[in-house]
């Protein structure tokens, strides 16, 4: 059950209370409350435009909520006096488009946050980064630049970068949906290992097989609300709500077109976001998700 007051327990890593978010006159999150527990893998599924990315981006305040409160390990990130930069160091964020620094090697991408934000010395940062690149199967590609890596490899660098910050939790926004199908498996395998190692993960995904296998809990969102949540066998295997059933029929249908191809609005939205994220990368400061 969602708890409606902060418990003070270290076991509650993300607590969201009555979260609302509007863009102009359009309310895209309409009162979301949920808790993600330590070590839990929560997969968020739902149709394009239902607010999944906005929810994730509110959790680390990449978007400012219009209303509601969010606690990260019992510290309120929505408190105007919160040390947001410090709270963000506990959360890794893995995006569809990787967001690596193009002018830095894989190794440097994994050390820059450590040295710039956490003030870890270079030798230590290098050794932590190498260990994590090894963990994601890229120990031998430390000196490669992003352009020299496949999308799947870049995404694994992005995961190694999050791990190198010694985060408590990682938020994933469709980490495999920009990848060629043959590269998806390697990234999901790394995520599966992470889940098994006890990492707290909140994963927006269209990979139903992954959600079914790895998630402790699945949340189905539609139209800015949580329609249904529960164990994957229940939500994916035996959904109670008509809207969940309709959505699953569509995505589980083998003739279903991949999201992004089916919906022009989706493509436009993502082009805009990509432009914003690329602009952030060109910013001399660190992108806000560090
Ligand atoms: N920065 C923004 N400015 C204006 N509207 C936005 C912004 N970001 C998102 N929206 C709108 O909010 C709604 C929810 O978008 P969001 O990206 O959260 O959906 P989603 O569930 O992640 O969809 P998808 O599966 O396509 O990624 C959409 O109608 C979108 O157009
Ligand atoms: Mg999205």
């Amino acid at each position: 059950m969602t708890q409606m007051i902060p418990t003070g327990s270290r076991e509650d890593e993300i607590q969201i209370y009555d979260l609302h978010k509007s863009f102009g006159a359009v309310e895209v999150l309409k009162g979301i409350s949920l808790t993600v527990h330590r070590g839990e893998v929560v997969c968020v599924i739902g149709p394009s435009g239902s607010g999944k990315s906005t929810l994730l981006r509110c959790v680390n305040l990449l978007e400012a909520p219009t209303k509601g409160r969010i606690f990260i390990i019992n510290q309120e990130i929505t408190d105007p006096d919160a040390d947001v930069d410090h709270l963000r160091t506990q959360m890794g964020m893995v995006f569809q488009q990787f967001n690596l620094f193009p002018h830095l090697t894989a190794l440097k991408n994994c050390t820059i946050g450590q040295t710039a934000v956490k003030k870890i010395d270079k030798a230590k940062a290098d050794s932590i980064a190498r260990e994590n690149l090894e963990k994601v199967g890229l120990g031998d590609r430390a000196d490669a630049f992003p352009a020299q890596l496949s999308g799947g490899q870049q995404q694994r660098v992005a995961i190694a970068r999050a791990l190198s910050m010694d985060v408590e939790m990682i938020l994933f926004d469709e980490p495999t949906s920009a990848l060629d199908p043959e590269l998806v498996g390697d990234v999901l395998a790394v995520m599966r290992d992470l889940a098994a190692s006890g990492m707290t993960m909140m994963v927006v995904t269209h990979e139903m097989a992954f959600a079914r296998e790895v998630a402790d809990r699945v949340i189905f969102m539609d139209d800015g609300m949580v329609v249904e949540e529960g164990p994957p066998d229940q939500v994916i295997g035996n959904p109670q709500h008509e809207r969940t059933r309709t959505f699953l029929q569509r995505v589980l249908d083998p003739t279903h077109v991949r999201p992004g191809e089916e919906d022009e609005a989706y493509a436009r939205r993502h082009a805009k976001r990509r432009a914003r994220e690329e602009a952030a990368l060109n910013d001399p400061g660190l992108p806000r998700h560090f």
Side-chain angles (χ1 to χ4, degrees), residues 176-237:
T176 59
S177 52
L179 301 179
D180 291 336
E182 71 272 19
L183 303 176
V184 169
D186 289 342
V187 173
L188 292 182
V190 165
M191 291 172 67
R192 210 174 273 125
D193 287 350
L194 268 186
S197 76
M199 176 63 77
T200 306
M201 295 162 63
M202 192 166 167
V203 187
V204 172
T205 186
H206 286 94
E207 297 286 343
M208 292 305 137
F210 174 82
R212 191 149 191 180
E213 177 198 334
V214 179
D216 296 300
R217 191 147 47 97
V218 173
I219 291 181
F220 172 69
M221 275 180 72
D222 194 13
D223 195 23
M225 286 176 287
V226 173
V227 173
E228 184 159 355
E229 71 173 293
D233 279 349
Q234 181 189 312
V235 176
I236 299 176

Side-chain angles (χ1 to χ4, degrees), residues 41-274:
V41 179
V42 172
C43 285
V44 181
I45 62 173
S48 181
S50 56
K52 306 179 299 293
S53 297
T54 305
L55 169 65
L56 219 58
R57 294 165 67 83
C58 282
V59 169
N60 69 357
L61 244 48
L62 282 173
E63 299 288 0
T66 313
K67 184 179 161 214
R69 303 174 77 187
I70 300 170
F71 293 77
I72 304 301
I73 319 180
N74 292 292
Q75 292 184 58
E76 185 174 1
I77 194 165
T78 41
D79 181 333
D81 296 328
D83 183 349
V84 174
D85 289 338
H86 171 71
L87 291 173
R88 282 210 189 102
T89 63
Q90 319 203 37
M91 283 180 276
M93 184 99 192
V94 175
F95 299 94
Q96 195 176 4
Q97 294 297 333
F98 329 133
N99 284 14
L100 299 176
F101 286 113
H103 60 293
L104 299 181
T105 62
L107 183 75
K108 266 277 185 186
N109 266 287
C110 294
T111 57
I112 187 161
Q114 298 187 67
T115 52
V117 179
K118 297 186 98 180
K119 312 293 178 207
I120 293 174
D121 75 61
K122 185 180 170 306
K124 175 105 197 286
D126 272 10
S127 114
I128 291 172
R130 284 186 192 282
E131 194 180 302
N132 287 311
L133 285 169
E134 195 71 50
K135 213 177 265 176
V136 301
L138 293 172
D140 56 345
R141 302 308 305 275
D143 297 324
F145 287 89
Q148 299 168 320
L149 299 170
S150 74
Q153 289 171 331
Q154 291 183 59
Q155 196 58 299
R156 286 184 281 145
V157 173
I159 294 172
R161 173 179 62 185
L163 292 175
S164 296
M165 292 297 278
D166 195 23
V167 293
E168 295 269 346
M169 63 198 86
I170 304 185
L171 314 177
F172 294 86
D173 192 356
E174 293 192 43
T176 59
S177 52
L179 301 179
D180 291 336
E182 71 272 19
L183 303 176
V184 169
D186 289 342
V187 173
L188 292 182
V190 165
M191 291 172 67
R192 210 174 273 125
D193 287 350
L194 268 186
S197 76
M199 176 63 77
T200 306
M201 295 162 63
M202 192 166 167
V203 187
V204 172
T205 186
H206 286 94
E207 297 286 343
M208 292 305 137
F210 174 82
R212 191 149 191 180
E213 177 198 334
V214 179
D216 296 300
R217 191 147 47 97
V218 173
I219 291 181
F220 172 69
M221 275 180 72
D222 194 13
D223 195 23
M225 286 176 287
V226 173
V227 173
E228 184 159 355
E229 71 173 293
D233 279 349
Q234 181 189 312
V235 176
I236 299 176
N238 183 23
Q240 299 304 301
H241 290 259
E242 186 54 40
R243 282 196 280 176
T244 320
R245 279 198 288 272
T246 309
F247 168 76
L248 286 168
Q249 265 159 17
R250 266 196 20 220
V251 296
L252 296 175
D253 174 354
T255 61
H256 174 71
V257 186
R258 282 170 69 87
E261 290 166 11
E262 82 173 82
D263 173 358
E264 263 182 50
Y266 176 103
R268 274 203 304 279
R269 223 169 21 250
H270 285 261
K272 265 200 233 153
R273 173 162 315 139
R274 207 153 37 243

